[in-house]
């Protein structure tokens, strides 16, 4: 992974993290936009997925620095009758999957939207 | 397609699971609870309606000390801090009364809602609330309190949304002032409800009216009453128990007569949490019970009056109580255990006065058999020869998606709601739903500076009837059973039987005069106590106040200890609250040991009981055998009270239920009648058993039962290993939000720390106050101040409660008085 790619991933993750404060669905919305904008790049959806995992993982780490996040995982895991680690996995997988799928959709849209076609012709 | 699935589960509930997106996102979702676990060191907020700034300082135990310039601002601040720490509890208990839990938790809760609507608690509260003048103390304080709650809800950060709301995908509703009245309805249901009259016909069919009277007497045979009767010690008025004489050869009453809430049953046919069995356990003298006592200065080491109280209730997380200290300069300075939903503590102390309560347990609900115009769907009832219209109340139960899941028509006479049972329409008159204002008298107590003033303020306290113990800094003590006690008609003088509803002359004729209430003020003995026993000696006053009173085992122990201690201290009060001795075994063990003498098979069991010091300390091994013995003894002796097997075959073979169980003191009295018919085991047709046969069999069965359960006599039998407290979450009892298996170092049936078999009841708050200058106080409850399950304040008091410790309670006179180490957080509220 190149330095540029790392930087791009981090920037996208920061955008996802900021969007999460508005609502969780900002992640797929932003990922779709990212997928659209990076339609000609290979690996755009992967970057989106990694960035989403990084964003939500970072936010979990922030919660853990401020308070007992491990107890939150244990609590929710107990209620859902899964291991606490599964709560982490579920959270990050949800974010990653939402971002990857939305980015794929964004990339696909690039090929069908009129504006995109013009852009491609240019 | 995958994205669609992710978006769907992210935004839509699946079954009972909430939308995952909002739940899992770590900015404001469930992970954010970690950030809300501790209160910020400095915070501010706004409450519209405040007339000045209010400072709230939290001490190291999470207790808010509210400093306000007037009582209404203080009430606003209490509403705010209640919501800040316990918002979900506020909502749940309100919905429990309103019958709208299903709107929060889904259709599974509909039976609870139907029962609540049938009881008519919210309907009665709404009517009472409407009748309060806008200028009344109750209404003004409740409105101010609501402003505080709603100010918090409006400003609540998304990160602070309680866990339970997140799980259900719901947001909190706005708090209405009338919900304060709902709270006291809820307390009335918990403490003032009774329906033994509904079981009475079945009992009379099984054993006859005379025996029924003796088994569940209005005059308890062991007298150590709340109002001192001049006797130093218990007085036993044993009368021979009349033999069982079934009234009819065939008992027609169905098995449903026991163990099922009549209100739930009337509508749903399903069991309800407040079943008769549950109440039976609650009322059982051996299982649970509250204590309080006051000591005059001449019997205390410091020369100051002392007060101690430990109300026992169902244990829960969050706990029922929330500690708060309110200071309004020159007006109010009160520290107490508040209830969520009310700005004034029912239990607490000021600089001059301390007070606490136990439940009176008076019979304040009567049931009337009504004559109706249509047995299936009545619209009128007969009264004094005329048809009167029934009030019809249509109740629609909705689920969490707003769908109607049940529509019930509740019928009411002028007495109250009706239930339909065994073909009869029965209405209920109940002091709790008559409409009452608990805020004004409790506020009056908080403002009072003497026992006399406080008792005067309590004159208007109606329900649920409580035994208020009080002590003041001038050295006066008092104890009074306070509430609306109905005067029954001379035509229907007893409240423990079904009453003919067709004549208005059978209605209540008024209420007892306050001076007739059971009470003591500066009694010559130098102390007064209550432990749910019969409040007044029937030799002093024979008017009906209730029946089937709990055995006075705890009262006897309290009074014995207080008589023996002429230099009481706060620490001796604390030790009494966790005293492990039980007076109950003394009335049974000698007879059992004597009956077992010479029987080698019972030698080990008898020796264990005989060597027992009657203490329920953790290391004792005899208590587990004694408890099993008492259960076997009740089962073998009271077989006459077994209901016939259900014709539908609903009950498994051998699982017949008793319609009711007499108090253990009735059994103690029966020990004096060794040849009584009650000892005969009806299942052995050709054999006539006597007392000692049953005692031996019960001991043998108990011994085998405990051996089978715990193995041979050893460490596994120790009290500490066999009994635990289970502190369960209000909504999710079997989740990590609960704290099961909390060790209890001492206590058991009949002791001052009784515990029910399931461990769900115990001391909900313990408090000791010394009325010196300054007042010193100690207290604890099993839980913590915060409702956030990941907060260290969620259960931080539980360990010390379990160990029998009390925390020293801080009472700063002004903001800034707490030291830096004592103050953990500060909140400034402004208009």
């Amino acid at each position: 992974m190149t330095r540029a790619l790392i930087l791009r991933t981090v920037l996208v993750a920061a955008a996802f993290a900021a969007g999460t404060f508005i609502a969780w669905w900002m992640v797929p919305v932003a990922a779709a936009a990212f997928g659209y904008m990076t339609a000609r790049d290979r690996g755009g959806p992967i970057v989106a997925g990694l960035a989403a995992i990084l964003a939500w993982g970072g936010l979990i780490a922030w919660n853990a620095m401020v308070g007992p996040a491990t107890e939150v995982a244990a609590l929710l895991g107990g209620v859902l009758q899964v291991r606490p680690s599964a709560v982490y996995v579920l959270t990050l997988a949800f974010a990653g999957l939402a971002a990857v799928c939305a980015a794929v959709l964004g990339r696909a849209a690039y090929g069908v939207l009129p504006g995109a076609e013009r852009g491609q012709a240019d | 397609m995958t994205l669609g699935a992710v978006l769907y589960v992210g935004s839509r509930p699946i079954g009972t699971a909430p939308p995952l997106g909002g739940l899992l996102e770590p900015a404001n979702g469930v992970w954010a609870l970690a950030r809300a676990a501790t209160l910020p060191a400095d915070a501010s907020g706004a409450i519209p309606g405040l007339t000045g700034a209010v400072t709230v300082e939290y001490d190291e135990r999470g207790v808010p000390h509210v400093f306000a310039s007037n009582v209404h601002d203080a009430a606003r601040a209490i509403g705010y801090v209640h919501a800040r720490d316990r918002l979900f509890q506020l909502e749940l208990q309100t919905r429990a009364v309103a019958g709208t839990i299903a709107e929060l938790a889904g259709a599974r809760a509909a039976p609870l809602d139907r029962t609540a609507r049938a009881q008519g608690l919210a309907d009665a509260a709404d009517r009472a609330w409407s009748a309060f003048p806008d200028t009344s103390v109750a209404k003004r304080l409740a409105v101010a309190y609501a402003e505080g709650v709603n100010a918090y809800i409006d400003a609540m950060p998304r990160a602070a949304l309680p866990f339970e709301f997140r799980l259900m995908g719901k947001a909190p509703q706005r708090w209405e002032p009338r919900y304060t009245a709902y709270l006291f309805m809820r307390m009335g249901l918990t403490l003032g409800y009774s329906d033994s009259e509904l079981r009475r016909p079945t009992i009379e069919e099984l054993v006859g009216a005379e025996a029924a009277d003796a088994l569940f007497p209005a005059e308890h045979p062991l007298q150590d009453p709340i109002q001192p009767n001049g006797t130093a010690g218990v007085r036993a008025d044993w009368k021979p128990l009349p033999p069982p004489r079934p009234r009819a050869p065939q008992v027609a009453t169905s098995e449903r007569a026991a163990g099922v809430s009549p209100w739930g049953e009337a509508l749903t046919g399903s069991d309800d949490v407040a079943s008769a069995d549950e109440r039976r356990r609650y009322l059982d003298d051996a299982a649970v019970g509250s204590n309080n006592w006051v000591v005059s200065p001449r019997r205390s080491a410091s020369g100051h009056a002392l007060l101690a109280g430990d109300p026992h209730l169902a244990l829960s997380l969050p706990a029922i109580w929330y500690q708060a200290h309110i200071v309004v300069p020159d007006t109010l300075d009160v520290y107490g255990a508040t209830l969520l939903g009310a700005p004034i503590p029912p239990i607490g102390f000021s600089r001059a006065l301390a007070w606490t309560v136990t439940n009176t347990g008076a019979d304040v609900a009567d049931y009337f058999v009504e004559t109706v115009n249509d047995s299936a769907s009545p619209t009128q009832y007969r009264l004094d020869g005329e048809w009167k219209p029934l009030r019809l109340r249509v109740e629609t139960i909705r689920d969490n998606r707003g769908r109607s899941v049940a529509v019930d028509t509740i019928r009411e006479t002028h007495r109250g709601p009706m239930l339909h049972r065994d073909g009869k329409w029965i209405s209920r008159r109940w002091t709790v739903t008559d409409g009452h204002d608990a805020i004004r008298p409790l506020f009056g107590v908080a403002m009072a500076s003497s026992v006399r003033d406080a008792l005067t303020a309590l004159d208007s306290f109606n329900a649920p009837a409580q035994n208020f113990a009080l002590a003041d800094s001038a050295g006066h003590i008092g104890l009074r059973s306070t509430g609306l006690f109905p005067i029954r008609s001379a035509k229907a003088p007893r409240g423990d039987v079904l009453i003919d509803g067709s004549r208005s002359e059978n209605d209540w004729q008024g209420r007892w005069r306050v001076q007739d209430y059971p009470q003591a003020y500066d009694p010559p003995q130098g102390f007064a106590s209550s432990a749910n026993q019969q409040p007044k000696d029937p030799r002093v006053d024979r008017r009906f106040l209730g029946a089937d009173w709990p055995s006075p085992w705890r009262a006897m122990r309290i009074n014995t200890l207080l008589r023996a201690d002429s230099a009481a201290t706060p620490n001796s009060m604390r030790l009494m609250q966790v005293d492990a001795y039980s007076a109950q075994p003394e009335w049974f063990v000698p007879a059992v040991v004597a009956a077992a003498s010479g029987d080698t098979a019972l030698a080990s069991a008898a020796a264990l009981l005989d060597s027992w010091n009657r203490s329920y300390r953790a290391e004792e091994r005899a208590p587990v055998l004694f408890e099993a013995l008492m259960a076997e003894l009740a089962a073998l002796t009271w077989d006459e009270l077994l209901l016939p097997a259900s014709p539908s075959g609903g009950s498994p073979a051998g699982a017949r239920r008793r319609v009711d169980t007499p108090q253990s003191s009735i059994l103690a009295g029966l020990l004096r009648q060794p040849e009584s018919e009650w000892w005969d085991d009806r299942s052995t047709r050709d054999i006539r058993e006597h007392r000692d046969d049953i005692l031996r069999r019960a001991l043998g069965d108990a011994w085998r039962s405990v051996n089978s359960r715990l193995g041979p006599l050893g460490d596994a039998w120790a009290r500490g290993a066999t009994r635990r407290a289970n502190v369960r979450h209000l909504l999710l009892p079997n989740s990590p939000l609960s704290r099961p298996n909390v060790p209890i170092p001492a206590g058991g049936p009949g002791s001052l720390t009784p515990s029910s078999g399931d461990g769900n009841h115990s001391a909900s708050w313990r408090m000791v106050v010394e009325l010196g200058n300054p007042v010193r106080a100690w207290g604890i409850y099993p839980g913590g101040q915060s409702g956030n399950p990941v907060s260290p304040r969620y259960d931080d008091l539980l360990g010390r409660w379990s160990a029998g410790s009390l925390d020293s309670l801080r009472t700063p006179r002004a903001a800034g008085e707490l030291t830096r180490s004592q103050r953990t957080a500060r909140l400034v509220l402004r208009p």
Side-chain angles (χ1 to χ4, degrees):
Chain A
M1 188 179 267
T2 65
R3 183 180 296 177
L5 193 57
I6 292 172
L7 184 63
R8 175 190 283 190
T9 305
V10 169
L11 288 174
V12 173
F16 284 171
T20 303
F21 277 92
I22 297 171
W24 71 272
W25 44 259
M26 283 299 291
V27 170
V29 167
F34 179 74
Y36 182 89
M37 289 187 293
T38 59
R40 282 179 290 186
D41 297 347
R42 290 169 60 189
I46 300 297
V47 169
L50 286 174
I53 290 170
L54 188 63
W56 280 28
L59 288 171
I60 290 173
W62 172 55
N63 283 310
M65 284 189 290
V66 179
T70 52
E71 291 189 25
V72 174
L75 181 70
L76 189 57
V79 171
L80 300 176
Q81 298 183 324
V82 297
R83 290 169 179 272
S85 56
V87 178
Y88 290 96
V89 171
L90 182 63
T91 302
L92 299 180
F94 180 83
L97 197 59
V100 168
C101 295
V104 168
L105 186 71
R107 188 167 68 174
Y110 184 82
V112 296
L113 290 179
E117 286 170 1
R118 280 199 303 274
Q120 209 166 23
D122 293 339
Chain B
M1 184 183 288
T2 308
L3 179 62
V6 169
L7 292 176
Y8 188 83
V9 300
S11 56
R12 303 287 300 173
I14 308 289
T16 56
L20 282 185
L23 180 72
L24 294 176
E25 63 92 352
N28 292 303
V30 70
W31 293 99
L33 284 173
R35 303 202 306 273
T38 52
L39 294 170
D42 276 293
S44 62
I47 305 179
L50 272 184
T51 58
V54 177
T55 301
V56 182
E57 295 187 343
Y58 291 81
D59 67 23
E60 70 273 39
R61 297 169 57 255
V63 177
H65 301 265
V66 174
F67 303 97
S69 57
N70 60 68
V71 292
H72 296 102
D73 279 358
R76 290 180 181 98
I78 290 292
Y80 193 97
V81 298
H82 275 180
R84 195 184 192 203
D85 270 333
R86 301 279 190 89
L87 186 56
F88 178 74
Q89 187 179 8
L90 267 172
E91 172 135 348
L92 187 67
Q93 69 179 32
T94 303
R95 287 186 176 277
V97 174
T100 58
I101 294 181
E103 293 175 15
L104 195 66
R108 285 180 306 169
L112 289 174
D113 287 347
R114 299 181 73 187
T115 300
R117 306 274 186 107
Q119 290 266 17
L121 296 171
D123 181 64
D126 288 344
R127 282 186 279 135
W129 179 255
S130 302
F132 292 165
D134 287 344
T135 54
S136 65
V137 169
K139 211 158 201 172
R140 292 183 67 199
L141 285 173
V143 167
Y145 179 86
E147 288 171 358
V149 173
N150 288 327
Y152 176 77
I153 292 173
D154 292 344
M156 180 177 66
R158 286 162 60 198
L161 183 70
F163 180 69
E164 296 89 341
F165 285 118
R166 295 175 187 278
L167 280 184
M168 292 182 289
K170 292 285 182 179
Q173 64 179 356
R174 286 184 69 76
W175 178 269
E176 297 185 27
R178 64 194 167 100
Y179 294 162
T180 294
Y182 285 25
L183 163 70
F184 287 101
M185 286 289 163
R186 182 74 182 165
M187 293 312 294
L189 180 66
T190 301
L191 299 168
Y193 180 81
S194 65
D195 61 9
S196 58
E197 298 91 329
L198 301 175
R199 297 188 291 281
R200 182 72 176 213
T202 309
I203 295 169
E204 290 188 2
E205 286 175 8
L206 289 167
V207 300
E210 192 186 0
D213 262 354
L215 292 175
F216 306 98
E219 298 177 3
H220 199 282
L222 290 177
Q223 282 297 321
D224 202 346
I226 293 171
Q227 176 174 306
N229 59 357
T231 305
V234 68
R235 188 189 72 240
D237 291 335
W238 299 123
K239 294 175 189 154
L241 205 57
R245 291 289 177 263
R247 204 168 59 185
Q250 275 288 331
V251 175
T253 310
S254 72
E255 187 166 353
R256 296 190 308 163
V260 178
S261 164
W263 300 95
E265 176 193 58
L267 292 170
T268 67
S270 63
D271 279 12
D272 171 67
V273 287
S275 71
D277 269 4
E278 191 70 31
R279 284 191 301 282
R280 181 70 253 170
R281 282 199 294 274
Y282 177 70
L283 294 170
D284 185 359
D285 51 14
V288 293
S290 307
N291 312 299
N292 64 20
W293 59 87
V294 279
V295 176
S296 75
R298 65 186 166 83
R299 296 188 67 83
S300 78
S302 65
H304 301 299
L306 294 167
L307 173 142
D310 51 302
H312 289 233
L313 292 167
L315 301 176
S316 68
L317 280 173
I320 187 171
W321 302 109
Y322 181 88
Q323 296 176 69
H325 178 210
I326 305 167
V327 179
V328 178
D330 304 321
T331 306
L332 185 68
D333 189 338
V334 59
Y335 186 113
T338 64
L339 290 166
L340 281 296
I344 290 294
I347 298 172
F349 61 94
S350 64
R351 306 274 172 201
L353 182 78
W355 67 99
T356 182
V357 296
T358 63
N359 197 36
T360 303
D363 185 346
V364 291
D366 283 352
Y367 292 81
F368 298 80
V369 180
E370 305 288 358
T371 306
V372 294
N373 64 333
D374 178 350
S375 62
S377 184
T379 55
Q380 294 178 308
Y381 69 109
R382 196 96 172 145
L383 187 70
D384 297 334
E386 292 181 20
W387 288 106
K388 302 279 186 185
L390 288 165
R391 178 182 179 233
L392 303 184
R393 179 159 48 88
V394 177
E395 298 284 0
T396 303
I397 312 294
R398 298 191 182 279
D399 69 5
N400 53 348
R401 298 185 189 180
R403 298 173 299 203
S404 168
V405 291
V407 178
D408 295 321
T409 299
I410 313 299
R411 296 169 169 82
E412 296 187 357
T413 70
H414 67 287
R415 301 177 175 109
M418 293 205 297
L419 56 87
H420 195 199
R421 186 180 179 86
D422 291 327
K424 297 189 184 93
W425 286 92
I426 302 171
S427 70
R428 180 195 62 198
R429 176 85 189 273
W430 186 24
T431 59
V432 170
T433 48
D434 270 4
H436 59 280
D437 171 6
I439 290 287
R440 184 165 66 98
L442 292 177
F443 182 65
V445 174
M447 300 278 283
S449 57
S450 70
V451 172
R452 281 276 187 226
D453 288 350
L455 287 172
T456 301
L458 286 169
D459 285 353
S460 63
F461 186 88
N462 286 350
Q466 298 291 292
N467 304 314
F468 279 86
L470 309 103
D472 66 29
S473 55
H476 299 291
I477 61 170
L479 209 162
R480 190 172 82 189
S481 304
T482 299
L484 194 163
F485 304 124
I487 295 175
R488 268 92 183 180
S489 156
K491 305 275 186 184
R494 290 276 295 265
D496 58 343
V497 294
L498 291 176
I499 300 168
D500 176 9
S502 68
R503 297 200 303 269
S504 60
E505 64 184 4
N506 288 341
D507 278 323
W508 292 350
Q509 307 293 309
R511 60 181 295 170
W512 284 35
R513 299 178 309 166
V514 172
Q515 56 265 43
D516 294 335
Y517 291 179
Q519 55 196 296
Y521 181 81
D522 285 343
Q525 63 192 22
F527 63 86
S529 72
S530 79
N532 312 113
Q533 79 272 40
Q534 184 162 12
K536 214 170 184 180
D537 190 334
R539 289 191 187 176
V540 174
D541 189 344
R542 293 201 68 184
R543 279 180 295 176
F544 180 84
L545 193 61
D548 194 23
W549 298 97
S551 306
W553 310 127
R554 286 176 290 112
M556 290 156 59
R557 179 62 174 166
I558 293 169
N559 292 338
T560 298
L561 291 172
L562 291 177
R563 271 187 212 103
D565 188 357
S566 58
T569 65
N571 195 47
S572 68
M573 306 282 94
R574 178 187 71 79
L575 292 172
M576 279 179 66
Q577 288 181 332
V578 291
D579 182 70
Y581 178 86
S582 174
Q584 186 190 30
E586 203 55 63
W587 296 73
F588 291 93
V589 169
V592 173
V593 171
S597 68
D599 188 331
T600 52
L602 297 176
S604 299
L608 181 63
L609 288 179
D610 199 26
S611 62
W612 180 30
N613 60 8
R614 323 308 192 221
S615 165
Y616 280 83
R617 297 187 66 81
E619 66 275 14
E620 296 292 341
R621 296 171 179 182
V624 67
L625 177 62
F626 180 71
E627 281 186 59
L629 166 71
M630 292 302 292
E632 296 289 348
L633 200 51
L636 290 168
T637 309
W638 305 128
D639 56 345
E640 293 82 358
L641 294 170
L642 286 172
L643 289 157
S646 170
S648 62
S651 297
R656 291 165 59 194
R657 303 167 84 168
R658 275 194 301 277
V659 60
D660 212 334
T661 304
Q663 304 287 354
S664 54
S665 47
I666 303 299
L667 194 50
L670 187 62
L671 290 174
R672 301 169 63 85
Q673 293 176 255
E675 306 299 321
S676 169
E677 276 184 47
W678 289 97
W679 295 114
D680 186 32
D681 179 355
R682 294 185 166 196
S683 67
T684 58
R685 293 181 183 277
D686 301 329
I687 305 170
R688 168 71 192 272
E689 287 85 357
H690 302 286
R691 179 193 65 191
D692 288 355
D693 302 317
I694 296 301
L695 292 180
R696 279 192 292 273
R697 193 190 300 171
L699 182 60
D701 289 350
W703 180 258
R704 282 186 291 277
S705 155
V706 180
N707 268 277
S708 163
R709 188 157 45 95
L710 302 175
L713 179 61
D715 291 343
W717 287 43
R719 177 73 184 163
T722 58
R723 189 49 54 88
R724 291 282 197 273
N726 292 306
V727 191
R728 300 197 183 278
H729 184 262
L730 290 166
L731 185 71
L732 301 164
N734 299 311
S735 75
L737 284 80
S738 296
R739 298 291 182 271
N741 293 316
V742 177
I744 302 175
S751 78
L752 298 192
T753 50
S755 61
S756 54
D758 52 16
N760 292 336
H761 288 78
S762 195
S764 65
W765 166 244
R766 293 191 184 111
M767 181 176 79
V768 173
V769 184
E770 183 184 63
L771 278 300
N773 186 17
V775 169
R776 295 192 302 160
W778 300 262
I780 196 97
Y781 67 74
Q785 291 282 94
S786 174
N788 181 348
V790 300
S791 168
R793 297 181 302 122
Y794 180 66
D795 60 357
D796 58 336
L797 307 179
L798 192 53
R800 296 198 293 284
W801 171 86
S802 159
S805 303
L806 296 176
D807 290 345
S808 180
L809 307 181
R810 302 193 184 285
T811 52
R813 289 175 183 272
E817 203 174 280
L818 290 175
T819 65
R820 185 180 289 271
S821 64
Q822 291 168 349
R823 193 187 78 195
T824 55
R826 188 166 179 266
L827 168 69
V828 177
L829 298 168
R830 294 195 172 84

